[in-house]
């Protein structure tokens, strides 16, 4: 089966996190995307889960495009050596470029930057600017607290209907890839 989604942004941490499973799942989903000829758009760094995704995709014949900022590269994260990384002026330009290059978004474990990126996409879904899907790889139930907050926000009247969002969740890379291929 071939996915209708040809280019997917992968948002994830520039750290590895506390569980080795985070990196294993990041590597596996990158391999699956590469095997299915789906281009990966990512933050451009060669560190943490971000670097793991890019390296795994490249090592398995995948196509990877990076987008980073001048400040990030200068401050902490070297651009991934094996990837064509476009360096832009700021975070908002970076997010817009990644959005424009992608048909969908995968959310792996990450920190504040990952949370910011996913809530931007959800906000765009909420106000009708996009219908592009979000796919959560919920490794070790990492995103469970966020999901509970999302439901809580609906119960308290701040979100009309959680089903209005184009969100798909999986606990394993294989399950996530099946959802992507069946989208």
């Amino acid at each position: 089966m071939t996915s209708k989604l040809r280019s997917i942004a992968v948002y994830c941490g520039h750290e590895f996190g506390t569980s080795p499973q985070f990196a294993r799942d990041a590597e596996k989903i990158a391999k699956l995307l590469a095997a299915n000829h789906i281009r990966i758009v990512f933050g451009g760094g060669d560190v943490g889960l971000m670097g793991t995704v890019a390296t795994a995709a490249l090592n398995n014949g995948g196509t990877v495009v990076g987008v980073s900022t001048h400040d990030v590269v200068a401050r902490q994260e070297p651009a991934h050596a094996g990837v064509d990384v476009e360096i832009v002026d700021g975070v908002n330009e970076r997010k817009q470029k990644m959005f424009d290059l992608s048909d969908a978004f995968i959310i792996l474990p990450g920190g504040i930057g990952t949370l910011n990126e996913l809530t931007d996409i959800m906000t765009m879904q909420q106000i009708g600017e996009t219908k592009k899907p979000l796919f959560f790889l919920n490794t070790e139930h990492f995103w469970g607290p966020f999901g509970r907050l999302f439901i809580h926000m609906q119960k308290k009247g701040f979100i009309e209907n959680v089903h209005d969002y184009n969100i798909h969740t999986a606990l394993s890379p294989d399950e996530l890839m099946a959802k992507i291929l069946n989208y």
Side-chain angles (χ1 to χ4, degrees):
M1 177 177 287
T2 302
S3 176
K4 293 180 230 171
L5 304 173
R6 304 308 312 145
S7 183
I8 297 180
V10 178
Y11 297 118
C12 57
H14 68 272
E15 302 291 342
F16 288 105
T18 57
S19 171
Q21 192 61 43
F22 297 150
R24 285 192 292 267
D25 280 1
E27 181 177 1
K28 178 131 190 215
I29 194 63
K31 288 177 179 179
L32 291 169
L33 291 168
N36 285 280
H37 310 289
I38 298 172
R39 177 178 73 173
I40 293 174
V41 178
F42 83 118
D46 196 14
V47 294
L49 297 181
M50 198 183 319
T52 299
V53 165
T55 299
L58 291 171
N59 288 345
N60 288 276
T63 303
V64 182
V65 174
V67 183
S68 191
T69 69
H70 293 291
D71 288 342
V72 168
V73 171
R75 186 181 71 248
Q76 65 185 8
E77 293 178 12
H80 196 288
V83 177
D84 180 24
V85 178
E86 181 175 345
I87 309 297
V88 297
D89 289 330
V91 171
N92 289 331
E93 185 180 349
R94 175 182 172 265
K95 289 190 288 187
Q96 185 64 52
K97 183 71 172 180
M98 291 178 72
F99 177 85
D100 292 343
L101 292 171
S102 303
D103 301 324
F105 312 93
I106 292 176
I107 310 298
L108 302 179
I112 298 299
T114 306
L115 185 62
N116 175 259
E117 290 157 337
L118 83 90
T119 57
D120 276 357
I121 301 300
M122 291 177 72
T123 300
M124 292 171 75
Q125 286 182 352
Q126 182 181 37
I127 62 176
E129 285 186 17
T130 189
K131 299 235 183 250
K132 294 179 181 181
L134 274 168
F135 293 93
F136 282 84
L137 182 50
N138 198 15
T139 301
E140 295 186 356
H141 303 280
F142 180 85
W143 290 107
F146 179 78
R148 288 190 296 279
L149 176 61
F150 195 54
I151 300 295
H152 173 75
M153 290 161 66
Q154 179 184 352
K155 288 179 181 176
K156 296 299 181 179
F158 290 98
I159 295 174
E160 288 184 28
N161 185 354
V162 296
H163 302 293
D164 291 342
Y165 296 83
N166 194 355
I167 296 174
H168 311 270
T169 303
L171 294 173
S172 73
D174 291 318
E175 180 187 1
L176 189 70
M177 195 68 228
K179 289 183 179 203
I180 290 168
L181 292 174
N182 288 314
Y183 181 79

